[in-house]
């Protein structure tokens, strides 16, 4: 009987996530669930000082402890290369070398100095505490101001200064635009340092088989293939002998878009001791030693006419790199640079990014990665400009939206498609009108509450990235394509092998929906494999809201290729010409004689038998596609929120939140909503709660979740999600990314609302109660 | 997040527990709900050699209505206090404070005895006990004694319990006009400041959380309350306070909060 797909779960259906049963019933399999015979455990001795020379490492007490196999320092483990950085925006940038285990010098609190390998994690930890490190403290630079000061101590002696890289772009007419302007609005806007806090910390099991010289590394990573390549380079082994596996991964947010010292150390240690080595990061270790994000200051100035047309923008960003370059550290502020004008057609720009080393943990991608920084700076600036012009915050935005797409910004990016006015209109329709809001504001004041509302109109660049852009515009080592295999089995089921590497996004579901739509193979008959370099064609992984636009497209194209081949086989089976076949719902039928039909499953069986295949058609239905996108994609939207601020305490409560987003065509509306929810909450975290802080001695003072506040369900409002659909011309699915959108949009919207409530021009995040209360005291709030 | 090695004992009576504490000496610690002690051990801020888990002593759990007061076993969980209709009506300050502690996991494990013995300056229950003028029973190898709230809290994480004494029960008077108002940065957080207010006709007892090394009686505010004037009392709530300054709140902000929260607490207590 033909399997038809009437009540299907193809593209556009809010299918429940097929991976969730496993996660919700505790049957996911994470790194720490892996237990190998003879496996040993690693604990890491980390620097206590932000900058020091190591004068000695006394390991004998630790070695003497029962159960300890080895104590290894930078002198014991040989590496062929340092911790890699795959980004060099100018091609001229010097990458300071960083051995995975410190050699003689440490540059941030938490830098690995030695490791203990022991029979269990408790022994390993106790022994790590027993390792005595001698330090000669060196002057440290903490914060970008200190790093840029005259005579500042240098983080890296091999560099001339603490400035790692300067990027600049200036259009010819910018001075003239500022001269001509009626107003110039200036502001300094800070994106504080943040910590990712995925629910699963980092973890790795490295198994170097001394007999075969094969290395298998299972790691909680977003990028297993990159990891394999870098393991080969850093550990100096044949890449063909390295297998990297990302099992189920409990969140990443960019923290696991990296190849970390600890992954290389575990591999080298496994080789050294001849046994598998497991390292599971502790939570406080994760706060201290996994890369951080944001840490950027923007000095903005906008030149505008009195009717609100922005003529020019000067933006000077200062990015804190931390002490070393992680995999994509330089890319992050480069993305800020590229998206500096945000959703506005600003004709003249003068943009500069100064990137600075400090004695803190390296910064790298954190959900949004450079684009939240850009968006926050421009959105706050637009609010302030509106205030200076006495214009509404919506009107000033509307007057500066690009009118035509594709739109090329003054930076040179081509925004693929958009209709920014439409999402803003929709937001306004969904929000109270001015009078109603004013009345509610008075009612709230009678209760001691200051009501405010705010918005952001955001756009981002994502779906990374055309490989030539990766090379020419970004200076990345790898390109930006993605791969997928679609394989039909003899019994009519399908397997998708994807180069993307989900860690919460629901790829198994979305990819199955794409296959159902293209091939008519029912959703439940599709399995998705990912994360194992032994099985998958090379893939670049999951980050930068790229998976659907690039990896999903690869799935679509591979499925299309399977269908095209199946058509040839079906034609042979039906004794018709391929062009004479209709295909729908998994059924090939001869045009005009619909009872002459065969299903995709029957075709798969025949292709496996390979009996009587058409001339020149090879056996099997198994196609692999590598897709290199012609452009990035540019999702956009308008978010609005309302807050109530307690006048007497300064505490902020978000009372309503409306997100209107446009990510082109939608494969699974429920997953898109979920991504928006999570993203919005993440952005609220930055706006109201989160900040990683070092004290004047370079110690991280927000090293636990008691001090580093992330929002919980009880802190966040109901989030309304709405959409407009402007398909992307960049890929055949017409899709754009949505994983980072909420984060990019919500932070400025919330700050906008709080400033509105308390009558402040701008406030530095996070807007914790004392800060808001101070603003109320200073500001003569309504 | 990995504690040092420790030995583990699970006695079945208070007497056995006290005996174990004495025989193990300084290296032993009582384990109740574990929600202060275990985090400290995981961070290696505490490293007891032996844990004496009193969780198996079932007689230590429960709320008894003894007429004019309640007798509450030391192992009674925060969730039990928060969910008790008896307390909700006749001692809302205790029920409301317990309801605002941490998150459901914390409330399902943490105990009243553990909270009081921990004497965390940001913990909510010490101030409640002080405002209620309650008392605790302590049992050690040498016998049983009663410690009034004012003598229990000695400073930062310090009580007058001896190392081999076990807090077995808490006694608090009924106080139908009472409440606890907590202020934190985020749901489930520890208090930046909190106010326990117990109103009895014309008089009030007010104790503050988070503004000193131990709970602080707001005596000036109590005097100013005479006759039931909440606003006048609140205005004096920060008199003489010397609160700490930290990332969550400066000393000034905490003084301000003491006044604001005292007003809210008194109004609610009077209304209640
Ligand atoms: C995430 C989190 C959030 C929290 N938030 C709050 C909050 O908002 N407000 C708040 O008040 N608390 C909060 N707590 C602390 C919580 O209330 C603890 O449960 C409480 O402080 C200690 O009680 P326990 O039963 O867990 O004691 P334990 O942790 O077992 O013991 C604490 C200390 O008291 C001693 N001890 C325990 N019981 C006795 C006894 N019967 N006799 C003698 N000594 C004893 C122990 O030896 C130890 O020194 C939080 C805890 C966590 C983990």
């Amino acid at each position: 009987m033909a399997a038809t797909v009437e009540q299907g779960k193809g593209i556009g259906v809010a299918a429940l996530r097929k991976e969730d049963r496993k996660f919700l019933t505790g049957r996911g399999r994470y790194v720490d669930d892996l237990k190998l015979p003879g496996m040993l455990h690693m604990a890491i001795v980390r620097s206590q000082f932000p900058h020091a020379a190591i004068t000695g490492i006394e390991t004998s007490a630790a070695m003497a402890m029962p159960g300890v196999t080895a104590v290894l320092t930078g002198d014991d483990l040989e590496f062929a290369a340092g911790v890699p950085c795959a980004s060099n925006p100018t091609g001229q940038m010097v990458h300071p070398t960083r051995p995975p285990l410190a050699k003689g010098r440490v540059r941030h609190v938490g830098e690995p100095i030695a490791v203990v390998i022991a029979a269990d994690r408790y022994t390993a930890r106790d022994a790590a505490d027993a390792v005595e490190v001698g330090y000669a403290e060196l002057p440290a630079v903490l914060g970008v101001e200190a790093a840029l000061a005259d005579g500042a101590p240098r983080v890296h002696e091999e560099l001339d200064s603490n400035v790692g890289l300067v990027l600049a772009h200036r259009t010819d007419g910018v001075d003239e635009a500022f001269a001509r302007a009626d107003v110039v609005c200036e502001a300094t806007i800070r994106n504080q340092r943040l910590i990712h806090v995925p629910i699963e910390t980092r973890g790795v099991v490295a198994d170097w088989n001394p007999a075969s010289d094969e290395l298998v590394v299972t790691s909680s990573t977003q990028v297993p293939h990159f990891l394999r390549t870098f393991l080969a380079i850093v550990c100096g082994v044949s890449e063909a002998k390295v297998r990297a596996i990302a099992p189920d991964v409990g969140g990443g947010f960019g923290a696991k878009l990296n190849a970390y010292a600890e992954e290389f150390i575990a591999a080298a240690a496994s080789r050294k001791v001849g046994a598998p080595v497991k390292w599971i990061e502790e939570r406080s270790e994760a706060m201290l030693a996994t890369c951080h994000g944001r840490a950027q200051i923007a000095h903005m100035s906008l030149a505008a006419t009195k009717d609100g047309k922005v003529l020019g923008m000067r933006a000077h960003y200062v990015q804190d790199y931390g002490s070393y370059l992680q995999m994509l550290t330089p890319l992050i502020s480069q993305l800020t640079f590229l998206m500096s004008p945000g959703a506005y057609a600003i004709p003249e720009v003068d943009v500069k990014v100064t990137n600075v080393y400090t004695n803190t943990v390296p910064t790298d991608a954190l959900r949004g990665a450079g684009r939240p920084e850009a968006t926050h700076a421009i959105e706050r600036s637009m609010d302030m400009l509106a205030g200076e012009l006495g214009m509404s915050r919506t009107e000033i935005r509307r007057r500066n939206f690009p009118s035509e797409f594709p739109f090329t910004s003054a930076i040179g990016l081509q925004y693929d498609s958009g209709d920014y006015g439409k999402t803003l209109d929709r937001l306004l329709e969904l929000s109270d009108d001015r009078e109603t809001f004013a009345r509610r504001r008075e009612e709230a004041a009678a209760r001691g509450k200051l009501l405010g509302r705010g918005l952001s109109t955001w756009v981002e660049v994502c779906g990374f990235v055309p490989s030539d852009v990766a090379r020419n515009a970004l200076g990345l080592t790898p390109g930006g394509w993605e791969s997928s295999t679609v394989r039909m089995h003899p019994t009519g089921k399908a397997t998708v092998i994807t180069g993307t590497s989900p860690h919460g996004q629901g790829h198994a579901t979305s990819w199955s929906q794409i296959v159902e739509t293209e091939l008519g193979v029912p959703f439940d008959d599709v399995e998705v494999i990912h994360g194992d370099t032994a099985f998958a064609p090379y893939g670049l992984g999951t980050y930068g809201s790229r998976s659907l636009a690039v990896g999903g497209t690869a799935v679509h194209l591979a499925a299309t290729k399977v269908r095209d081949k199946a058509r040839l086989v079906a034609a042979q089976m039906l004794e018709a010409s391929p062009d004479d076949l209709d295909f729908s719902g998994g059924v090939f039928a001869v045009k005009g004689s619909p009872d002459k039909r065969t299903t995709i499953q029957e075709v798969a069986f025949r292709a496996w038998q390979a009996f009587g295949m058409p001339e020149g058609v090879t056996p099997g239905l198994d196609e692999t596609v590598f897709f290199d996108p012609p452009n990035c994609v540019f999702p956009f939207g308008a978010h609005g929120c309302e807050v109530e601020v307690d006048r007497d305490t300064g505490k902020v409560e978000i009372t309503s939140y409306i997100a209107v987003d446009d990510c082109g065509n939608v494969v699974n509306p429920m997953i898109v909503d979920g991504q928006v929810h999570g993203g919005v909450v993440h952005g609220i975290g930055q706006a109201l709660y989160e900040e990683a802080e070092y004290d004047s001695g370079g110690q991280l003072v927000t090293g636990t979740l008691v001090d580093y506040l992330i929002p919980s369900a009880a802190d966040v409002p109901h989030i309304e999600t709405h959409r407009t659909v402007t398909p992307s011309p960049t890929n055949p699915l017409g899709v754009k990314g949505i994983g980072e959108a909420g984060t990019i949009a919500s932070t400025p919207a919330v700050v906008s609302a709080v400033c509105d409530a308390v009558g402040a021009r701008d406030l530095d995040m996070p807007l914790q109660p004392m800060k808001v209360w101070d603003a109320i005291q200073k500001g003569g709030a309504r | 997040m990995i504690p040092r090695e420790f030995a583990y004992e699970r006695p079945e009576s208070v007497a056995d527990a006290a005996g174990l504490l004495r025989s193990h000496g300084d290296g032993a610690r009582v384990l109740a709900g574990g929600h202060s002690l275990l985090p400290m051990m995981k961070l290696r801020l505490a490293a007891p050699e032996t844990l004496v888990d009193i969780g198996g002593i079932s007689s230590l759990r429960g709320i008894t209505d003894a007429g004019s007061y309640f007798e509450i076993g030391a192992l009674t969980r925060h969730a039990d206090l928060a969910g008790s209709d008896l307390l909700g009506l006749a001692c809302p300050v205790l029920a409301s404070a317990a309801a605002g502690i941490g998150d459901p996991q914390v409330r399902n494990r943490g105990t009243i005895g553990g909270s009081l013995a921990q004497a965390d300056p940001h913990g909510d229950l010490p101030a409640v006990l002080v405002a209620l003028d309650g008392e605790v029973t302590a049992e050690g190898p040498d016998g049983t004694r009663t410690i009034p709230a004012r003598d229990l809290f000695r400073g930062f994480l310090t009580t007058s319990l001896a190392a081999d004494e076990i807090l077995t029960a808490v006694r608090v008077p009924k106080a139908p006009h009472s409440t606890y108002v907590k202020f934190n940065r985020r749901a489930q957080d520890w208090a930046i400041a909190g106010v326990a207010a117990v109103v009895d006709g014309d008089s009030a007892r007010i104790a503050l959380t988070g503004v000193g090394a131990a709970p602080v009686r707001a005596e000036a505010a109590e005097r100013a309350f005479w006759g039931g004037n909440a606003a006048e009392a609140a205005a004096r709530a920060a008199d003489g306070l010397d609160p700490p300054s930290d990332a969550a709140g400066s000393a000034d902000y905490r003084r301000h909060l003491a006044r604001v929260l005292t007003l809210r607490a008194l109004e609610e207590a009077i209304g209640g």
Side-chain angles (χ1 to χ4, degrees), chain A residues 345-641:
Chain A
I346 301 177
E348 304 291 344
V349 299
D350 176 358
V351 186
K352 184 171 147 189
V353 190
T354 304
N355 297 286
V356 176
Y357 291 104
T358 62
N359 290 111
T360 58
V361 85
T363 56
D364 203 328
L366 188 151
R367 202 174 193 168
R371 292 147 292 161
E373 294 89 317
T375 307
H376 196 67
I378 188 71
E379 288 302 290
R380 295 303 309 132
S381 297
M382 291 301 268
D383 271 18
M384 290 182 243
L385 178 61
E388 263 161 57
L389 292 170
M391 185 176 282
S392 87
R393 288 171 289 169
T394 51
E395 191 52 33
I396 191 117
R397 286 171 163 80
R398 208 185 284 285
R399 289 193 187 176
N400 290 285
F401 286 153
S403 49
E404 273 181 13
F405 288 89
F407 161 74
T408 303
S409 76
I411 304 287
L413 285 192
Q414 196 189 77
Y415 296 17
D416 62 343
S417 65
D419 186 346
Y420 301 168
K422 195 160 73 177
T423 50
L424 180 55
D425 287 344
R426 189 74 189 281
L427 174 66
L428 295 180
E429 274 163 41
L430 292 160
S431 309
D432 276 354
D433 62 36
R434 235 173 253 283
E435 290 70 39
T436 314
F437 180 74
R439 199 181 58 240
R440 289 181 34 237
R441 180 175 255 183
E442 273 175 37
E443 287 162 10
R447 290 183 283 119
K449 297 290 165 83
L450 304 169
L451 208 60
R453 61 178 171 179
L455 83 161
S456 72
T457 49
W458 66 277
V459 60
E460 67 158 318
V461 55
C462 67
F464 297 125
V465 59
S467 297
D468 281 339
V469 172
R471 180 183 61 181
N472 300 330
L474 298 176
L476 294 173
T477 309
W481 44 268
E482 195 47 84
S483 68
S484 176
T485 297
V486 173
R487 176 177 298 158
M488 290 291 302
H489 302 295
T491 52
K493 314 297 180 190
T495 292
V496 174
I497 310 174
T498 175
T500 60
S501 197
H503 42 284
Q505 293 85 351
H507 293 358
T509 299
S510 301
W511 291 189
S512 298
Q513 292 183 261
I514 292 171
V515 169
E516 176 169 315
T517 294
E518 296 313 319
L519 289 181
V521 175
F523 176 84
D524 290 328
D525 287 352
V526 184
E527 286 302 311
V528 176
I529 294 179
H530 55 79
D532 188 334
T533 63
F535 300 129
Y538 208 110
L540 303 189
T542 288
Y543 51 88
S545 303
R546 70 188 299 275
S547 291
L548 180 60
V550 192
T553 298
V555 174
H556 162 85
L557 293 174
T560 310
K561 246 177 128 178
V562 165
R563 194 181 64 204
D564 290 347
K565 184 172 177 187
R567 175 184 294 275
L568 303 178
V569 178
Q572 183 88 354
M573 291 164 72
L574 298 170
E575 296 171 340
S577 144
D579 296 342
D580 274 348
L581 298 186
D582 285 328
F583 181 73
S584 130
V587 176
F588 290 98
V590 178
K591 286 188 180 129
S593 26
D595 50 328
K596 285 188 75 181
R597 64 209 301 273
T598 184
T599 65
I600 186 83
Q601 290 83 359
E602 289 161 349
V603 175
F605 189 72
R606 174 60 66 87
W608 169 73
Q609 292 177 308
F611 295 168
M613 293 290 273
E615 182 79 25
V617 177
T618 53
L621 289 180
D622 185 336
E623 297 293 338
T624 296
V625 166
F626 286 73
F627 172 65
D628 200 348
N631 189 3
C632 294
V633 292
F634 293 77
F636 60 92
H639 284 212
C641 81

Side-chain angles (χ1 to χ4, degrees), chain B residues 94-106:
Chain B
L94 185 51
S96 60
I101 292 176
D103 53 35
Q105 290 95 317
V106 174

Side-chain angles (χ1 to χ4, degrees), chain A residues 213-227:
Chain A
D213 225 21
E214 284 166 333
L215 171 63
V216 181
V217 173
T218 306
S219 183
S220 184
T221 182
Q222 300 171 223
V223 286
H225 281 93
F226 284 158
L227 179 61

Side-chain angles (χ1 to χ4, degrees), chain A residues 121-122 125-126 129 282-284 646 648-649 651 689 704-706 709-710 712 714-715 768-770 773, chain B residues 1-5 43-44 183-190 246-250 253 256-257 260 264:
Chain A
R121 72 176 308 205
Y122 298 91
R125 183 74 262 160
D126 288 347
D129 278 4
E282 300 174 43
R283 175 62 65 190
S284 38
D646 184 327
D648 291 330
T649 65
K651 189 160 173 170
Y689 305 112
T704 74
L705 294 175
V706 175
L709 309 182
I710 56 170
S712 69
D715 298 294
Q768 291 190 359
M770 181 169 64
W773 180 74
Chain B
M1 307 308 272
I2 298 175
R4 286 190 187 284
E5 191 170 353
L43 291 167
R44 301 199 161 200
F183 185 77
N184 52 12
R185 290 178 289 178
R186 184 190 56 162
Q188 319 185 351
D189 263 352
W190 293 84
D246 57 30
S250 65
Y253 184 58
H256 168 74
L257 287 177
V260 170
R264 290 179 184 181

Side-chain angles (χ1 to χ4, degrees), chain B residues 105-122:
Chain B
Q105 290 95 317
V106 174
R107 294 195 289 275
N108 283 329
R109 290 297 305 164
T111 67
I112 185 170
S115 277
L116 297 175
Q118 178 70 16
D120 191 305
H122 296 279

Side-chain angles (χ1 to χ4, degrees), chain A residues 84-364:
Chain A
C85 173
S87 152
N88 193 328
T90 56
Q92 310 294 318
M93 180 184 188
V94 177
H95 287 172
T97 44
R98 174 190 182 183
L101 262 183
K103 275 186 187 275
R105 192 71 171 281
V106 281
R107 294 184 176 82
H108 69 87
V109 170
E111 184 169 351
I113 292 176
V115 296
V116 173
I117 311 296
D120 62 73
R121 72 176 308 205
Y122 298 91
T123 307
R125 183 74 262 160
D126 288 347
D129 278 4
V131 173
E132 279 188 32
V133 179
Y135 300 92
E137 264 194 90
L138 296 166
V141 286
L142 301 161
V144 293
E145 286 89 357
L148 288 169
D150 283 344
R154 263 179 296 155
V155 177
H156 294 283
E157 270 159 4
E158 64 196 283
L159 305 180
D160 298 336
S161 76
N162 290 321
V163 176
L165 175 72
V166 176
L167 291 174
H169 176 80
R170 195 183 145 86
T171 56
D172 293 338
V174 69
D175 289 339
E176 199 256 334
F178 273 80
R180 199 151 58 86
D182 298 318
V183 288
V184 171
C185 171
E186 299 191 341
T188 295
I189 295 151
R190 289 185 174 75
N191 268 275
Q192 73 272 36
R193 183 180 277 260
L194 300 179
I195 302 178
H196 304 71
V197 199
I199 198 161
E200 184 200 17
T201 58
R202 290 181 295 163
V204 54
V205 174
D207 183 11
W208 199 314
N209 185 326
S212 63
D213 225 21
E214 284 166 333
L215 171 63
V216 181
V217 173
T218 306
S219 183
S220 184
T221 182
Q222 300 171 223
V223 286
H225 281 93
F226 284 158
L227 179 61
R228 183 187 74 191
T229 299
F230 287 130
L231 280 165
I233 294 171
V234 176
C235 295
V237 279
S238 159
E239 189 170 357
K241 285 201 182 269
V242 184
R243 175 177 172 194
I245 302 170
D248 288 329
V249 173
F253 310 116
K256 298 170 184 172
L257 165 52
N258 236 311
Y260 279 106
E262 289 86 346
E263 290 167 315
F264 305 121
I265 295 169
S270 171
R271 164 139 79 176
K272 192 94 182 170
V273 300
V277 167
K278 177 188 269 189
W279 172 67
I280 300 296
E281 187 176 46
E282 300 174 43
R283 175 62 65 190
S284 38
E285 201 177 13
M287 310 296 285
L288 192 71
T290 300
C291 70
H292 292 171
R294 309 276 197 278
Q296 189 188 87
I297 301 171
H299 304 282
M300 301 289 291
S301 75
L302 294 181
T305 64
K306 58 180 177 305
D307 50 4
K309 181 75 193 118
V310 181
L311 303 172
M313 172 184 79
R314 290 199 176 105
H316 182 190
Y317 307 95
V318 184
Q319 172 69 45
D320 186 346
Y321 272 171
S323 48
Y324 298 102
L325 302 178
Q326 278 290 346
M327 194 166 94
L328 294 173
T329 300
L331 173 68
I332 309 311
S333 60
Q334 189 183 15
L335 292 173
T336 305
F337 173 88
L338 291 172
M339 288 310 291
S340 51
Y344 310 107
I346 301 177
E348 304 291 344
V349 299
D350 176 358
V351 186
K352 184 171 147 189
V353 190
T354 304
N355 297 286
V356 176
Y357 291 104
T358 62
N359 290 111
T360 58
V361 85
T363 56
D364 203 328

